[in-house]
Amino acid sequence: MAFTLPDLPYSYDALAPHMSAETLEYHHDKHHNAYCTTMNDLIKGTEYENMDLEEIVKKSHTDNPKLFNQAGQFYNHIHFWKWMKAGGGGTSLPGGLASQIQSDLGSFDEFRSKFIDAGKGQFGSGWAWLAMKDGKLSVMNTPNGENPLVHGATPLLGVDVWEHSYYIDYRNARPKYLEAWFDNLVNWDYVAELYEAAK
């Protein structure tokens, strides 16, 4: 079964000025598309060919690092586009999610700081995450295309800190990118949808 590149759920200029059309065109049409194409080539004629994407990510993490690099990034980006929306961000989160963040991570401001610090502290390329494991929320970071799935957790929110995600708009100012992303782009409705499914 070949995978296909999903369309962006908004126009290329929808997230400006916090993420430019140029960034989205390169990031989605070039980088995400390359992960999809390469992954399809690598699974052709193998046991992975008939697996769903989550299964491919989990199994390839231990068994096939070359495939994992592509499958992990393909999976991460499918959600990354949905974790953003025009007019996103803010501090008003859906009730259940807001309550558990407060319970497990402290105040919203504490959670925000932990999440942004996880992105700032990721050396080189990678991701910062809000994840659920064993019914508890945690903030984590991972290198390269790794994600919470391979640590037995469910990703609820993730931000890409590979330079291709921000260099056009922010140059090397990763902290500025993370703050703008969290405060202005996060689609909390999608985070809440994943949270409810993970409970």
Side-chain angles (χ1 to χ4, degrees), residues 19 22 28-29 58 60 64 69 74-75 79 112 114 120 127 135 141 160 162 172 179 184 187 191:
M19 187 174 286
E22 185 181 6
H28 176 268
D29 298 3
K58 291 175 185 176
S60 66
N64 189 331
N69 290 335
F74 182 63
Y75 172 91
H79 291 287
R112 178 186 180 275
K114 288 173 183 172
K120 284 160 54 175
W127 294 73
N141 53 8
D160 187 349
W162 287 59
N172 64 335
E179 289 166 5
N184 300 285
N187 181 356
V191 179

Side-chain angles (χ1 to χ4, degrees), residues 98-118:
S99 298
Q100 188 156 358
I101 284 175
Q102 191 161 13
S103 172
D104 293 346
L105 299 170
S107 68
F108 178 83
D109 286 342
E110 287 176 279
F111 159 56
R112 178 186 180 275
S113 294
K114 288 173 183 172
F115 188 88
I116 289 171
D117 285 348

Side-chain angles (χ1 to χ4, degrees), residues 38-176:
T38 307
M39 181 185 68
N40 280 329
D41 289 343
L42 291 172
I43 65 173
K44 200 177 299 177
T46 73
E47 62 180 322
Y48 294 98
E49 195 168 25
N50 296 311
M51 293 180 183
D52 68 32
L53 184 56
E54 285 197 16
E55 285 181 293
I56 294 172
V57 170
K58 291 175 185 176
K59 183 169 174 54
S60 66
H61 182 248
T62 52
D63 296 354
N64 189 331
K66 185 177 179 183
L67 172 58
F68 174 75
N69 290 335
Q70 307 300 322
Q73 283 290 76
F74 182 63
Y75 172 91
N76 294 350
H77 285 82
I78 286 173
H79 291 287
F80 184 58
W81 312 129
K82 297 178 185 177
W83 279 321
M84 299 184 288
K85 69 175 184 177
T91 59
S92 179
L93 278 56
L97 175 62
S99 298
Q100 188 156 358
I101 284 175
Q102 191 161 13
S103 172
D104 293 346
L105 299 170
S107 68
F108 178 83
D109 286 342
E110 287 176 279
F111 159 56
R112 178 186 180 275
S113 294
K114 288 173 183 172
F115 188 88
I116 289 171
D117 285 348
K120 284 160 54 175
Q122 174 56 47
F123 181 76
S125 299
W127 294 73
W129 306 94
L130 172 67
M132 179 176 277
K133 184 174 183 179
D134 302 325
K136 295 273 289 181
L137 296 179
S138 64
V139 171
M140 61 191 295
N141 53 8
T142 58
N144 301 316
E146 209 172 282
N147 60 47
L149 287 178
V150 302
H151 298 285
T154 302
L156 305 181
L157 175 66
V159 63
D160 187 349
V161 295
W162 287 59
E163 284 192 341
H164 62 232
S165 189
Y166 61 88
Y167 207 83
I168 289 170
D169 300 321
Y170 298 91
R171 293 299 184 253
N172 64 335
R174 185 189 287 185
K176 186 177 177 186

